Amino acid sequence: MGHAGSPGSGGRPAAVPGAAERAAIPIRGEVDIVEARQAARAMCERLGFSVAIQTRVATVVSELARNIVHYAGDGEVRLAALRGSRPGIEVVAEDRGPGIPHLDAVLRGEHRSTRGMGMGLRGTRNVMDEFDVQTGAGEGTRVTARLFGR
Amino acid sequence: MALSDRLVTQLMDDVTASIDRTGARGLVIDVSGIDVMDSYISRTIRDIGLVARLMGVTAVICGLDPAIAMTLVEMDMDIKGVHTELNLESALALLERKQREEDRAVSRGVWSEYAGEGGGSAGRASELHERDGGAGDDGVRGDPPGTETLLAHGGRRPAPRPGTRTRR
């Protein structure tokens, strides 16, 4: 701080306008789950969202990242700030894993894996304003969820 | 605190081993430092409480952050079957209350009908332990240095090894 160096030349990226707008976190293992949810919370905080919403989004990101680790092995979580009449955050969790069989049953809460997974996806739908899953056998899965600040 | 999956699993192992070793009668799981309780973490925490209960230990979860409690409800993730308390003080108070109730029951001889039955898979042994509420530094407290064994009544089978006990 207070140093007139060029932005981004140091170890810590300078606060470039728009830097809070997007983030992509590769998900390859359990530590990345933690990193993804911390990034989500930080972005929500920068957007001025309440602690309740920060926690909700961080939990959702934790769920989605965990699904990637457990089911697909690796993938990516992308976060984007939504600027409109209502500021919001978009979470995209994408992998090229086996896809989700019985998606409808999962979302109805009728299907639970032995690990008890699946509750997370349903919970995610419950707490986010917009929710969409694209999945197919062998095609991978893309979950898109959006939440708008209040 | 950011709790990784490995840490959560490790916690389960540590807690059960610690219960076995110390004969603790109460377990407080203080989650006040946890940043997020997703379905995996909440289920594992709950499972620790349920396993502790099966080992004869009263488990209490405390310190749920308001935002986390709200998210758990909104996402339909319940920690059913385990006591929850607002904070560490009320959790310890609950354990003390339970302890007194049990001690009273013992002094009235409520358990005497179970003595002498023998033949249980772990033999027949009732050991009472004093819990001193010693605080660990890792958010889990179930490690009473002042553990006291009051009674070990053998059935027809050999007495169980130290640290194991059966309670009603």
Side-chain angles (χ1 to χ4, degrees), chain B residues 84-98:
Chain B
T84 50
E85 283 287 337
L86 183 62
N87 55 34
L88 184 57
E89 286 72 28
S90 55
L92 289 172
L94 175 84
L95 287 180
E96 273 156 22
R97 213 160 53 236
K98 294 247 167 220

Side-chain angles (χ1 to χ4, degrees), chain A residues 91-127:
Chain A
V91 178
V92 179
E94 191 164 15
D95 65 61
R96 302 182 60 81
I100 308 173
H102 327 297
L103 177 65
D104 289 343
V106 167
L107 292 177
R108 280 197 305 269
E110 291 164 4
H111 178 84
R112 247 175 253 195
S113 72
T114 49
R115 286 184 180 133
M117 313 285 281
M119 289 307 286
L121 207 56
R122 189 160 169 259
T124 296
R125 189 187 57 177
N126 288 351
V127 300

Side-chain angles (χ1 to χ4, degrees), chain A residues 30 33-34 37-38 41 52 55-56 58-59 62-63 66 115-116 119 122-124 126-127, chain B residues 2-6 35-41 43 65 67-68 70-71 74-77:
Chain A
E30 286 174 8
I33 300 174
V34 176
R37 70 180 184 235
Q38 286 176 341
R41 185 186 285 277
T55 303
R56 190 188 291 180
T59 307
S62 198
E63 294 289 352
R66 189 183 304 288
R115 286 184 180 133
M119 289 307 286
R122 189 160 169 259
T124 296
N126 288 351
V127 300
Chain B
L3 206 56
S4 71
D5 294 5
R6 209 170 298 279
D35 63 333
V36 151
M37 292 257 276
D38 63 15
S39 59
Y40 177 83
I41 296 173
R43 198 178 56 256
D65 175 271
I68 290 181
M70 261 161 52
T71 306
E74 289 167 351
M75 294 186 74
D76 206 10
M77 302 184 294

Side-chain angles (χ1 to χ4, degrees), chain B residues 104-146:
Chain B
R104 269 202 300 277
V106 171
S107 67
R108 284 200 309 269
V110 171
W111 286 0
S112 61
E113 63 189 283
Y114 297 98
E117 278 177 9
S121 61
R124 181 56 53 193
S126 300
E127 301 174 16
L128 299 181
H129 300 278
E130 271 181 11
R131 188 190 50 73
D132 72 348
D137 58 356
D138 54 1
V140 174
R141 294 156 177 86
D143 199 4

